[in-house]
C-alpha cells in the first residue's frame, strides 16, 4: 500500500480548519503521521500568516482518486479554485509524495518540486520522514533541510491551542 504525504496550509480561520481537516483525514485514511505546526509568512502575496504542516498515511486509493479526495476536502473547507495561485485560503491540501511515483506528464505532478523550494513543505516533511529519500536527487529530506538556505526563513514552529488539547 503506497504511503502518501500531504502538505496542509491555511491562513483563513486556520484554528478551525486545520484541526478539522486532520480529523477528516484520520477518519478517511486511519493513522496519520503528523508534523509540528509551523506559522509561515504568506509567500507571493501580502496576507495573514499560514499554519503549515505535513501528514503521512498509507492509502489504498490510486493517486488520481486520492487527489480527487483531497480536492473534495478542500472544497468542504471553503476552498474555491477560482482564486489566484498566491492568495489567502481556508484550506490547501497538496499531495507532495505518493509512494515512489514520479509523474510529470499530468497532474498531480509528483514528487512536487515545491518540496525542495519552500521551507513550509521541506521542514515538516524532514521532521516526519527524515530518512526518506527524494526521488529525484536521491538525498534524504533531513540532509536537504540541513542544507536549505535559512537566511530569510519566515516560519517558526508553534503550538496552537488545539495542539495542546491533544488533537494531534
Amino acid at each position: 500500500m503506497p504511503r502518501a504525504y500531504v502538505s496542509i496550509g491555511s491562513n483563513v480561520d486556520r484554528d478551525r480548519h486545520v484541526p478539522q481537516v486532520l480529523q477528516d483525514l484520520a477518519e478517511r485514511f486511519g493513522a496519520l503521521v503528523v508534523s509540528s505546526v509551523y506559522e509561515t509568512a504568506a509567500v507571493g502575496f501580502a496576507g495573514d500568516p499560514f499554519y503549515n504542516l505535513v501528514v503521512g498515511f498509507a492509502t489504498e486509493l490510486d493517486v488520481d482518486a486520492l487527489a480527487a479526495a483531497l480536492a473534495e476536502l478542500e472544497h468542504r473547507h471553503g476552498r474555491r479554485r477560482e482564486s489566484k495561485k498566491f492568495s489567502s485560503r481556508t484550506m490547501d491540501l497538496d499531495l507532495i509524495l505518493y509512494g515512489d511515483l514520479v509523474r510529470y506528464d499530468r497532474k498531480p505532478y509528483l514528487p512536487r518540486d515545491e518540496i525542495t523550494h519552500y521551507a513550509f513543505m521541506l521542514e515538516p516533511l524532514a521532521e516526519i520522514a527524515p530518512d526518506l529519500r527524494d526521488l529525484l536527487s536521491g538525498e534524504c529530506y533531513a540532509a536537504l533541510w540541513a542544507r536549505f538556505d535559512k537566511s530569510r526563513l519566515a516560519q517558526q514552529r508553534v503550538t496552537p491551542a488545539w495542539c495542546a488539547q491533544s488533537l494531534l
Side-chain angles (χ1 to χ4, degrees):
M1 192 169 354
R3 187 150 198 81
Y5 289 89
V6 175
S7 174
I8 299 172
S10 174
N11 75 333
V12 175
D13 204 3
R14 62 191 190 174
D15 284 306
R16 179 170 63 95
H17 290 291
V18 173
Q20 183 59 57
V21 85
L22 289 171
Q23 183 176 341
D24 294 344
L25 288 167
E27 288 172 2
R28 176 81 189 259
F29 299 105
L32 305 175
V33 176
V34 183
S35 76
S36 299
V37 177
Y38 295 84
E39 187 172 70
T40 308
V43 174
F45 69 100
D48 292 333
F50 279 79
Y51 279 163
N52 289 104
L53 60 153
V54 169
V55 298
F57 53 88
T59 181
E60 293 181 357
L61 294 179
D62 70 41
V63 66
D64 296 314
L66 177 56
L70 295 174
E72 194 276 324
L73 266 178
E74 287 178 328
H75 184 76
R76 279 193 3 219
H77 285 273
R79 172 81 185 266
R80 300 297 174 251
R81 287 287 166 189
E82 60 273 0
S83 63
K84 296 183 225 173
K85 178 176 178 163
F86 294 110
S87 63
S88 293
R89 45 193 50 136
T90 56
M91 184 51 54
D92 190 20
L93 299 173
D94 290 324
L95 179 60
I96 59 175
L97 292 169
Y98 180 87
D100 60 0
L101 180 62
V102 175
R103 177 170 100 171
Y104 291 105
D105 60 335
R106 68 183 190 279
K107 290 183 177 182
Y109 303 129
L110 295 163
R112 290 288 290 256
D113 66 346
E114 289 99 334
I115 294 170
T116 58
H117 292 96
Y118 293 119
F120 65 82
M121 285 188 185
L122 183 56
E123 185 174 14
L125 180 59
E127 177 188 330
I128 63 171
D131 298 324
L132 187 64
R133 296 201 171 270
D134 177 68
L135 295 168
L136 301 179
S137 71
E139 294 184 75
C140 65
Y141 287 109
L144 290 168
W145 176 245
R147 277 200 329 276
F148 190 86
D149 178 8
K150 300 172 186 76
S151 62
R152 294 183 295 167
L153 195 61
Q155 75 182 28
Q156 62 184 347
R157 192 177 296 184
V158 296
T159 306
W162 48 266
C163 285
Q165 297 168 359
S166 299
L167 293 177
L168 288 182

